[in-house]
Amino acid sequence: MAIIIDGKQISADIRAEVAVEVEKMKTDHGLTPGLAVVLVGEDPASQVYVRNKESACHEVGFNSFKYELPADTTQEKLMQLVDELNCRDDVHGILVQLPLPKHLDSSLVLLAIDPNKDVDGFHPVNVGRLAVGQATLPPCTPAGCVELLKRSGAELEGANAVIVGRSNIVGKPAALLLLSENCTVTIAHSKTKDLPGVCRAADILVAAVGIPKMITGDMVGEGATVIDVGINRTAEGLVGDVDFEAASQKARAITPVPGGVGPMTIAMLMKNTLKAAQMR
Ligand code: NAD
């Protein structure tokens, strides 16, 4: 039976580590990291995410600035707010909650955020820094996957890492991050030939597809470490991209859904905001 990687506990550990650093920063430099979160409209899921981010900020000792704009906010107004936040000394991280209402162009908004305050790690400058191996603010979910791997004792150097999924927010950055950890990286996707064979060869298997239980037990190699990024709402409740029961018979260690990767995203957001404040 596999070790269950406890993302809830690891996320709490990281938040506690950030809180210690924040205390030090306050005492040594009189500086409190600040995160601004911008929410446009009233999407209920986004409202929950924003509330959770706010309470994590309070937990680690950050200043948190919340901006709730009406659903009919114009592009110009939103860009103006981003500009103001870019200029503020007490704001070290800026996060515009996605998705935005349809009339707004999110890529223009993300491009307007100062890359050094882009704590989501989505700005092309930060994606480029990640690609060329420079210090950057990495996207939170894939950075959370790497943290889970490290803290669960997975050997990264020289490991054969297979990432299923090539999205800009998870698959591609996860591949770059694992490459920088000296893994041998394969990105698999919907056109990959012999996906089961490719997956079976993985020492580290990251599933970021969005199809419930598509990684079956026979796709997992003996002793692999399996990170399931998938969050799929089904009649059975929240289900990952990996068939957990079957995969845990083969894996060395595996993340559950929920309670694996999910809680890591906010912890890594806190880590990125701290880093942005330290970089300043
Ligand atoms: P996406 O839809 O943007 O990308 C899915 C990827 O899967 C695509 O690159 C596609 O090539 C690949 N794919 C599709 N069908 C496939 C198949 N049959 N075989 C192999 N590959 C296939 O999704 P995303 O944004 O990367 O998210 C993936 C999953 O991770 C979703 O379930 C999402 O909810 C979840 N997610 C979780 C978190 C979190 O835990 N905090 C954050 C982001 C995404």
Side-chain angles (χ1 to χ4, degrees):
M1 237 348 229
I3 297 164
I4 312 293
I5 303 172
D6 186 348
K8 253 173 121 170
Q9 182 59 52
I10 294 174
S11 152
D13 293 346
I14 291 172
R15 294 197 307 275
E17 290 161 16
V18 171
V20 170
E21 291 297 315
V22 172
E23 254 329 290
K24 252 195 248 161
M25 206 175 219
K26 285 181 186 173
T27 335
D28 297 349
H29 303 286
L31 187 101
T32 304
L35 174 66
V37 179
V38 181
L39 174 64
V40 186
E42 274 141 33
D43 177 60
S46 294
Q47 284 175 329
V48 173
Y49 295 144
V50 167
R51 260 203 307 279
N52 291 344
K53 286 166 189 172
E54 237 190 327
S55 73
C57 280
H58 293 142
E59 183 191 339
V60 300
F62 291 169
N63 287 326
S64 141
F65 308 100
K66 183 161 83 172
Y67 294 85
E68 290 178 291
L69 306 180
D72 62 356
T73 299
T74 61
Q75 184 88 31
E76 199 189 348
K77 263 252 152 40
L78 182 55
M79 302 293 266
Q80 233 170 38
L81 173 59
V82 170
D83 271 348
E84 279 167 31
L85 296 172
N86 280 340
C87 295
R88 269 175 55 177
D89 283 338
D90 57 344
V91 171
H92 303 91
I94 303 170
L95 183 148
V96 177
Q97 185 65 46
L98 300 178
L100 289 171
K102 286 200 171 38
H103 68 284
L104 296 170
D105 183 340
S106 55
S107 56
L108 278 182
V109 177
L110 296 183
L111 209 56
I113 296 174
D114 176 345
N116 295 325
K117 294 189 178 188
D118 166 42
V119 284
D120 253 342
F122 293 156
H123 194 291
V125 165
N126 283 325
V127 178
R129 285 171 175 163
L130 183 61
V132 297
Q134 288 177 3
T136 187
L137 297 166
C140 300
T141 301
C145 294
V146 174
E147 207 62 44
L148 287 174
L149 285 166
K150 286 184 174 169
R151 292 180 190 232
S152 70
E155 182 71 51
L156 294 181
E157 189 157 307
N160 194 10
V162 174
I163 295 122
V164 191
R166 55 175 161 182
S167 73
N168 288 333
I169 62 164
V170 189
K172 279 187 214 163
L176 288 169
L177 285 168
L178 289 172
L179 190 60
S180 69
E181 296 292 339
N182 295 321
C183 292
T184 301
V185 177
T186 303
I187 306 181
H189 46 77
S190 53
K191 303 283 189 282
T192 296
K193 285 184 188 152
D194 185 22
L195 183 65
V198 170
C199 291
R200 255 193 313 272
D203 302 312
I204 289 165
L205 181 59
V206 179
V209 183
I211 302 177
K213 298 189 183 181
M214 79 151 286
I215 305 291
T216 52
D218 68 321
M219 294 166 83
V220 176
E222 289 290 342
T225 302
V226 180
I227 304 290
D228 188 353
V229 186
I231 299 180
N232 307 292
R233 278 162 229 287
T234 70
E236 300 174 38
L238 226 52
V239 171
D241 289 347
V242 177
D243 180 346
F244 180 84
E245 297 304 329
S248 53
Q249 303 297 320
K250 308 274 279 299
R252 176 197 71 89
I254 185 166
T255 59
V257 176
V261 176
M264 293 299 290
T265 302
I266 287 192
M268 300 316 287
L269 175 67
M270 298 300 110
K271 223 175 156 168
N272 266 353
T273 306
L274 173 69
K275 194 172 171 186
Q278 285 168 337
M279 281 180 348
R280 187 94 69 80

